[in-house]
């Protein structure tokens, strides 16, 4: 499969969305349209809006992800694929990167695989070598601060790029990528989207140039260093060297209109653990060696991770614990009657953990085991109503996914109120569920006389057509393309595909390649009785 096809089929939606959001059918639906897309790629007045997705962070803050329009995203994927050798050459320039992407295989859920944060500790210890001090810092608001013009600056040089800004330039090919990125975000030049995999490649393209420039200016002061996306750990010989290196890094970033995150910048003792001790301890819970999973040890794991999360103000301990329960296949054990009520309470207090918790529940449903349907129906309905008041997309979409996937009870009022929220991810999942017969009530969404093709409602529009909820024609600048996709019966939301996949015994509830944004390596285990808290 070509890189373009991989980026389209596995890299359109942010990985933080439920697994029913699936673009695997996109390549098939584009057959017969590719030539026209390449002909029209530089046409003006064809810019598109992306769909915002307000997600959660481990510290209760929130992060904005996005799903781009597939037509403008196609041009980005086509360009990256055609110029992949240049990307690989750029990635190889970095002496520091841990986040150089690998293209996912056929069994991976994502098109691009980046090293998880759990690898950071071991790799940092190796790369900083003997350095007695570590300069720790990161780039402030990296993705949302990237200046799109910096893409050709890096590829062709700043001066050459400023002299020739033509998107069709044969000399400065990366002007075209600058143009395509702008077209996917209503011509904005500040920031790139967080979520789709092609943008990860662009961010790393820029990050590797930052590494190269820093190395050229401060190599003699750096013992060893590592960068993971926008996080830097730089080994130095003294605190004064750290200050000089920090100054050089600021200069490099200013060349690309970027800035350091001062509150997260500091000089550490070289013995300071990169991976927090709580994480090391939690990863040491050897749950898969517990035989039949004694209920007291399961309770101890969850209670300990809860207390850590509460004390730290971070949900990371709880998410690691849920991964370990997945590895132990708790959904098949007699201890489920102990775990299920705790999961029901977890989702009501820990929004960043909702995804992992409901994935465990869906796995149990997929393998044909019983669920507390009444309890989950009440919990999920309560959560949807609560988070609808704040327009918390992440919590709402994941709760709707579990509701529709597992056939939970729901009221007409709840569906109609949720369907009125101005977010296409929420509306699309309701429309798709209604079209599949999973949602008992019509969404009550006014789709209009013409369905949008280029604004932030494009997803709910295409889903309404292909699910039979609407027969209205498309309007907007991409109407012909969306009519083609509709005629090909493009399917972008598929409830059953995930359930069929996790029904297989060896498949985990929580994908290691899809949810890599906070994956942890829990393959090394210790005896739980040796741990103290």
């Amino acid at each position: 499969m070509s890189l373009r096809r991989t980026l389209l089929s596995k890299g359109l939606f942010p990985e933080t969305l439920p697994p029913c959001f699936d673009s695997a059918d996109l390549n098939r639906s584009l057959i017969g349209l590719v030539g026209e897309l390449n002909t029209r790629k530089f046409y003006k007045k064809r810019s598109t809006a992306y769909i915002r997705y307000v997600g959660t962070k481990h510290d209760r803050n929130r992060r904005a992800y996005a799903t781009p329009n597939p037509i403008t995203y196609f041009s980005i994927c086509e360009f990256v694929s055609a110029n992949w050798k240049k990307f690989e050459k750029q990635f190889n320039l970095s002496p520091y990167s841990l986040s150089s992407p690998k293209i996912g295989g056929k069994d991976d859920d994502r098109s691009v695989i980046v090293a998880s944060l759990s690898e950071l500790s071991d790799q940092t210890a190796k790369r900083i070598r003997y350095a007695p001090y570590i300069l720790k810092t990161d780039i402030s608001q990296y993705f949302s601060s990237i200046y799109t013009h910096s893409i050709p600056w890096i590829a062709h040089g700043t001066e050459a790029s400023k002299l020739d800004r033509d998107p069709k330039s044969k000399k400065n090919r990366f002007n075209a990528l600058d143009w395509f990125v702008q077209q996917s975000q209503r011509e904005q030049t500040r920031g790139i989207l967080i979520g789709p995999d092609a943008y990860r490649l662009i961010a790393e393209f820029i990050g590797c140039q930052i590494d190269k420039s820093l190395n050229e200016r401060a190599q003699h002061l750096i013992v060893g260093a590592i960068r993971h996306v926008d996080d830097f750990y730089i080994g130095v010989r003294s605190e004064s060297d750290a200050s000089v290196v920090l100054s050089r890094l600021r200069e490099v970033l200013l060349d690309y209109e970027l800035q350091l995150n001062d509150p997260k910048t500091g000089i550490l003792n070289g013995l300071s653990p990169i991976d927090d001790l709580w994480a090391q301890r939690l990863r040491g819970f050897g749950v898969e060696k517990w035989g039949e999973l004694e209920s007291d040890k399961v309770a101890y794991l969850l209670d300990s991770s809860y207390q850590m999360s509460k004390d730290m103000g971070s949900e990371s301990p709880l998410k690691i614990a849920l991964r370990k329960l997945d590895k132990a296949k708790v959904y098949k054990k007699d201890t489920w009657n102990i775990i299920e009520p705790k999961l029901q309470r977890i989702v009501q207090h820990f929004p960043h953990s909702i995804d992992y918790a409901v994935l465990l529940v869906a796995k149990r449903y997929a393998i044909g085991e019983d669920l507390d349907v009444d309890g989950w129906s009440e919990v999920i309905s309560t959560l949807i109503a609560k988070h609808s008041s704040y327009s918390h997309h992440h919590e709402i979409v994941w709760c709707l996914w579990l509701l529709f996937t597992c056939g939970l009870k729901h009221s007409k009022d709840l569906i109609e109120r949720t369907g009125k929220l101005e977010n296409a991810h929420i509306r699309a999942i309701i429309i798709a569920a209604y079209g599949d017969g999973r949602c008992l009530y019509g969404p009550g969404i006014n789709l209009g006389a013409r369905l949008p093709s280029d604004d932030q409602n494009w997803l709910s529009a295409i889903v309404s057509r292909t699910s039979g909820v609407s027969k209205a024609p498309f309007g907007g600048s991409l109407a012909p393309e969306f009519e083609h996709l509709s005629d090909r019966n493009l399917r972008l939301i598929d409830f059953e595909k995930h359930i069929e996949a996790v029904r297989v015994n060896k498949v985990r509830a929580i994908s290691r390649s899809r949810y890599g944004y906070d994956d942890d390596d829990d393959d090394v285990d210790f005896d739980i009785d040796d741990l103290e808290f």
Side-chain angles (χ1 to χ4, degrees):
M1 182 182 291
S2 71
L3 179 56
R4 184 197 77 194
R5 290 172 60 84
T6 302
L7 290 170
L8 287 168
S9 64
K10 297 183 179 182
L12 173 69
F13 291 109
E15 61 190 359
T16 46
L17 281 166
C20 65
F21 289 89
D22 185 346
S23 59
D25 194 37
L26 187 54
N27 283 299
R28 179 196 62 82
S29 301
L30 287 169
I31 294 174
L33 189 59
V34 172
E36 293 181 40
L37 292 181
N38 284 324
T39 299
R40 300 170 184 170
K41 62 186 177 183
F42 292 117
Y43 283 11
K44 295 183 178 180
K45 296 183 180 180
R46 281 169 58 85
S47 67
T48 60
Y50 54 86
I51 308 170
R52 290 183 175 87
Y53 179 73
V54 180
T56 56
K57 294 177 67 176
H58 70 92
D59 57 2
R60 297 299 179 94
N61 288 316
R62 305 192 74 83
R63 172 177 289 159
Y65 298 90
T67 300
N69 189 295
I71 300 303
T72 42
Y73 185 63
F74 169 88
S75 295
I76 295 174
C77 297
E78 175 85 332
F79 182 93
V80 171
S81 182
N83 293 274
W84 183 239
K85 288 186 178 180
K86 174 66 173 178
F87 275 84
E88 287 187 311
K89 183 178 180 181
Q90 181 72 12
F91 297 155
N92 290 332
L93 291 178
S94 171
Y96 308 141
S97 179
L98 179 63
S99 49
S100 290
K102 298 177 182 177
I103 303 305
K106 65 177 183 178
D107 295 328
D108 291 313
D109 291 320
R110 296 298 299 189
S111 60
V112 173
I113 307 298
V114 175
S116 67
L117 285 173
S118 64
E119 296 181 47
L120 188 59
S121 179
D122 287 345
Q123 290 296 322
T124 300
K126 294 176 183 176
R127 297 200 191 184
I128 65 168
R129 301 166 62 208
Y130 59 83
Y133 296 95
I134 302 172
L135 170 61
K136 179 182 181 297
T137 188
D138 66 36
I139 304 172
S140 180
Q141 301 292 314
Y142 183 43
F143 277 70
S144 56
S145 297
I146 288 174
Y147 190 40
T148 65
H149 292 334
S150 66
I151 299 170
W153 290 357
I154 288 169
H156 308 297
T158 305
E159 295 305 318
S161 296
K162 289 182 177 181
L163 289 173
D164 179 4
R165 299 181 179 180
D166 184 0
K168 302 178 184 179
S169 173
K170 293 183 179 179
K171 183 178 181 181
N172 293 349
R173 297 194 319 275
F174 277 67
N175 286 359
L177 183 56
D178 179 8
W179 165 268
F180 298 146
V181 171
Q182 290 179 50
Q183 294 305 104
S184 71
Q185 50 196 39
R186 284 293 191 221
E187 301 183 20
Q188 295 177 31
T189 58
R190 175 63 64 184
I192 64 173
L193 306 187
I194 301 175
D197 284 352
Y199 295 88
R200 284 189 173 195
L201 298 174
I202 294 170
E204 185 63 16
F205 186 89
I206 296 169
C208 289
Q209 185 67 32
I210 293 170
D211 295 345
K212 178 177 179 292
S213 298
L214 176 62
N215 192 57
E216 290 171 349
R217 301 186 193 191
Q219 182 180 15
H220 63 292
L221 299 173
I222 298 174
V223 176
I226 194 167
R227 175 183 57 81
H228 185 272
V229 187
D230 58 354
D231 294 313
F232 287 86
Y233 293 85
I234 303 172
V236 292
R237 298 176 182 85
S238 66
E239 294 185 58
S240 60
D241 283 357
S243 297
V244 176
V245 172
L246 184 64
S247 179
R248 298 292 180 268
L249 181 55
R250 288 187 194 279
E251 293 171 359
V252 171
L253 293 178
L254 286 174
D255 288 343
Y256 304 107
E257 308 290 337
L258 297 168
Q259 296 182 345
L260 285 175
N261 188 341
D262 288 329
K264 292 186 177 181
T265 298
I267 302 171
L268 308 177
N269 184 296
L271 291 174
S272 300
I274 302 303
D275 195 1
D276 293 324
L277 293 177
W278 64 262
Q280 296 178 35
R281 289 169 177 168
L282 266 185
R283 291 188 179 113
F285 277 89
V287 291
E288 67 279 7
K289 298 179 182 178
W290 294 358
E292 289 304 310
L293 288 181
E294 300 96 319
S295 60
D296 60 332
K297 290 186 177 180
V298 172
Y300 182 51
L301 171 60
L302 289 175
D303 291 346
S304 297
S305 61
Y306 158 73
Q307 192 62 49
M308 290 181 197
S309 291
K310 180 182 176 183
D311 293 345
M312 295 165 48
S314 168
E315 293 190 38
S316 294
L318 199 54
K319 298 204 79 169
I320 289 179
L322 293 175
R323 272 196 180 276
K324 297 199 76 67
L325 291 179
D326 181 23
K327 187 174 182 180
K329 300 182 179 180
V330 294
Y331 31 76
K332 296 178 65 177
K333 309 294 185 179
D334 292 339
T335 46
W336 179 257
N337 64 338
I338 300 295
I339 295 168
E340 187 172 34
K342 286 185 177 289
L343 293 178
Q344 291 171 336
R345 295 193 289 271
I346 285 170
V347 298
Q348 296 180 77
H349 291 284
F350 294 93
H352 189 56
S353 301
I354 283 179
D355 51 0
Y356 282 15
V358 301
L359 283 165
L360 292 174
V361 177
K363 171 75 175 186
R364 183 168 173 87
Y365 171 83
I367 63 177
E369 298 288 346
D370 62 291
L371 291 176
D372 176 14
V373 173
D374 290 339
W376 279 112
S377 296
E378 183 172 342
V379 167
I380 293 301
S381 293
T382 299
L383 283 173
I384 292 173
K386 171 187 174 182
H387 290 289
S388 293
S389 301
Y390 306 110
S391 293
H392 285 168
H393 305 152
H394 181 80
E395 295 90 327
I396 296 168
V397 172
W398 277 96
C399 286
L400 287 170
W401 174 73
L402 186 71
L403 187 155
F404 297 137
T405 297
C406 298
L408 303 181
K409 301 172 184 177
H410 51 280
S411 68
K412 181 178 181 180
D413 177 66
L414 182 75
I415 297 301
E416 289 185 347
R417 283 191 293 117
T418 307
K420 291 178 181 178
L421 295 174
E422 294 292 332
N423 181 264
H425 295 116
I426 296 172
R427 290 184 166 190
I429 197 172
I430 294 174
I431 293 168
Y434 181 67
D436 279 0
R438 296 171 181 269
C439 181
L440 302 178
Y441 310 102
I445 298 171
N446 182 10
L447 297 166
R450 285 190 174 272
L451 301 174
S453 63
D454 53 13
D455 72 10
Q456 67 274 15
N457 294 304
W458 65 263
L459 179 61
S460 49
I462 189 72
V463 170
S464 69
R465 270 287 294 271
T466 56
S467 64
V469 172
S470 174
K471 296 182 179 179
F474 285 97
S477 61
L478 302 181
E481 289 87 345
F482 270 68
E483 289 291 351
H484 175 96
L485 295 177
S486 177
D487 291 343
R488 301 284 297 185
N489 198 30
L490 169 64
R491 185 163 188 159
L492 291 174
I493 296 182
D494 188 337
F495 293 100
E496 195 60 31
K497 182 177 178 180
H498 172 76
I499 293 299
E500 286 295 326
V502 299
R503 190 165 284 146
V504 178
N505 181 54
K506 67 178 181 179
V507 177
R508 292 188 183 184
I510 305 169
S511 167
R512 297 292 290 268
S513 57
R514 181 180 177 95
Y515 306 106
Y517 58 95
D518 55 2
D519 189 14
D520 66 280
D521 183 0
D522 56 2
D523 292 331
V524 178
D525 299 296
F526 304 95
D527 190 331
I528 186 173
D529 297 323
D530 292 338
L531 297 174
E532 297 178 358
F533 293 89

